[in-house]
Amino acid sequence: MKALQYRTIGGSPELVEVPDPEPGPGQVLLKVTAAGVCHSDFVVMSWSEAELPFPLPLTLGHEGVGTVAALGAGVTGVAVGEDVAVYGPWGCGTCPPCAGGRENYCLRTMELGIFPPGLGSPGAIAEYMIVDDVRHLEPLRGLDPVRAVPLTDAGLTPYHAIKRSLPKLVPGSTAVVIGAGGLGHVAIQILRALSPARVIALDTMAGKLELARSVGAHEVLTSDEHAAEKVKDLTGGRGATVVLDFVGAPPTTATAAACVAMEGDLTVVGVGSGSVPVGFGSPPYEVTVTAPYWGSRTELREVLDLARAGALDVHVETFAMDDAPEAYKRLHAGTIDGRAVILPNG
């Protein structure tokens, strides 16, 4: 089968032929319908040999949906031919967080050598993929696979980040979304669906700001050295109740810290190596600073239910399997608005 792999340290993704996988006991084989492309992959591909915690080659793609093609021995609860989404942050299934469905915070992944698909285990940018356990599958139940596949990360991650702040997003509150790309434009829709907050979107690119406005942002601002001051102006000097940074680079974390209000939430979601210094009076008093990771199995189900209710419309650009390397080039160049989706069997 065809697969897109990261094969050598410092190399670019390569389209290769690899053997078709077969499911072992407890595993499920999917014929992949759609696979998402994410900036997180570039972080993995930037690691040195010493930093890389798993061997190469690696089949990329940690967002996946597909049709069940075969079941390993002992598998129940899913049927051949069923359309499913893959929950990505696999855990041990038995530690306290996993027992509550929060496998994104599994305590034993490093001990047991468990990695998410596309981030250590073979991923979804292939004609077929192996899913380690049926609990990591969620039925699509009528959702369009192409628009559903980004929800497994680009939907789940912002949903998890926003959910913890919902008690603060009361009438009169303000939420700032920094980075209106793949995750950010979904975050805007989640905020509009779940809260009465005024939503302000920041980005450096005009196309992404237009996308932000089209999906519900009340205000859009260029993300530059003046952005925090403009947010303060728009909020009567108070600052934003909740700031969600989907870039996470040093300039954006600085903007986030400069525009969050007292007693607000500052959430760094992006993996751009920025940080927020925390000390007395900086950021403002009683600001909660957090850096969450992905989301729980239960939250994935909730995100898919939001999509079924018509609250989420993920903007996607599709690519044939042969064009998958080009999708990565375009994403790295910042010329994709929304989410890039590969169609391995399309």
Side-chain angles (χ1 to χ4, degrees), residues 89-278:
W90 298 349
C92 71
T94 59
C95 71
C98 284
R102 302 187 311 279
E103 296 198 39
N104 49 318
Y105 297 136
C106 177
L107 302 177
R108 303 186 65 202
T109 52
M110 297 308 294
E111 170 196 347
L112 299 175
I114 299 171
F115 297 100
L119 297 170
S121 296
I125 307 181
E127 293 178 82
Y128 291 90
M129 72 175 293
I130 294 289
V131 177
D132 69 332
D133 194 284
V134 70
R135 74 177 186 274
H136 294 144
L137 298 175
E138 186 66 29
L140 286 187
R141 291 198 285 118
L143 288 175
D144 174 11
V146 173
R147 295 191 177 277
V149 68
L151 298 177
T152 61
D153 179 10
L156 176 56
T157 297
Y159 181 82
H160 176 68
I162 290 165
K163 189 176 179 181
R164 60 175 297 277
S165 293
L166 287 177
K168 295 184 179 181
L169 293 172
V170 298
S173 64
T174 299
V176 166
V177 173
I178 302 177
L183 276 69
H185 90 284
V186 182
I188 293 165
Q189 296 175 67
I190 295 170
L191 286 163
R192 292 302 309 273
L194 300 183
S195 84
R198 180 189 194 186
V199 179
I200 302 173
L202 277 60
D203 205 285
T204 58
M205 304 186 73
K208 290 183 171 60
L209 290 177
E210 183 57 36
L211 174 60
R213 192 183 295 279
S214 73
V215 297
H218 296 93
E219 307 280 351
V220 298
L221 299 172
T222 300
S223 186
D224 58 19
E225 67 273 18
H226 306 296
E229 180 183 348
K230 292 177 181 177
V231 169
K232 289 287 190 70
D233 289 343
L234 289 170
T235 56
R238 295 190 303 273
T241 315
V242 173
V243 180
L244 300 146
D245 183 358
F246 291 99
V247 181
T252 59
T253 54
T255 294
C259 71
V260 67
M262 283 192 292
E263 301 182 288
D265 285 351
L266 194 170
T267 302
V268 180
V269 183
V271 292
S273 74
S275 61
V276 179
V278 176

Side-chain angles (χ1 to χ4, degrees), residues 279-307:
F280 184 77
S282 178
Y285 299 130
E286 212 166 315
V287 164
T288 298
V289 179
T290 188
Y293 172 65
W294 225 325
S296 70
R297 296 200 316 266
T298 301
E299 287 168 336
L300 176 58
R301 181 169 298 182
E302 292 168 358
V303 169
L304 296 177
D305 281 339
L306 265 181

Side-chain angles (χ1 to χ4, degrees), residues 30-35 64-67 123-129 343-345:
L30 295 187
K31 183 176 182 179
V32 180
T33 311
V65 300
T67 302
I125 307 181
E127 293 178 82
Y128 291 90
M129 72 175 293
L343 308 178
N345 288 284

Side-chain angles (χ1 to χ4, degrees), residues 318-332:
T318 59
F319 295 81
M321 188 64 166
D322 289 346
D323 296 325
E326 179 63 22
Y328 273 87
K329 291 178 183 178
R330 295 254 326 269
L331 182 66
H332 190 60

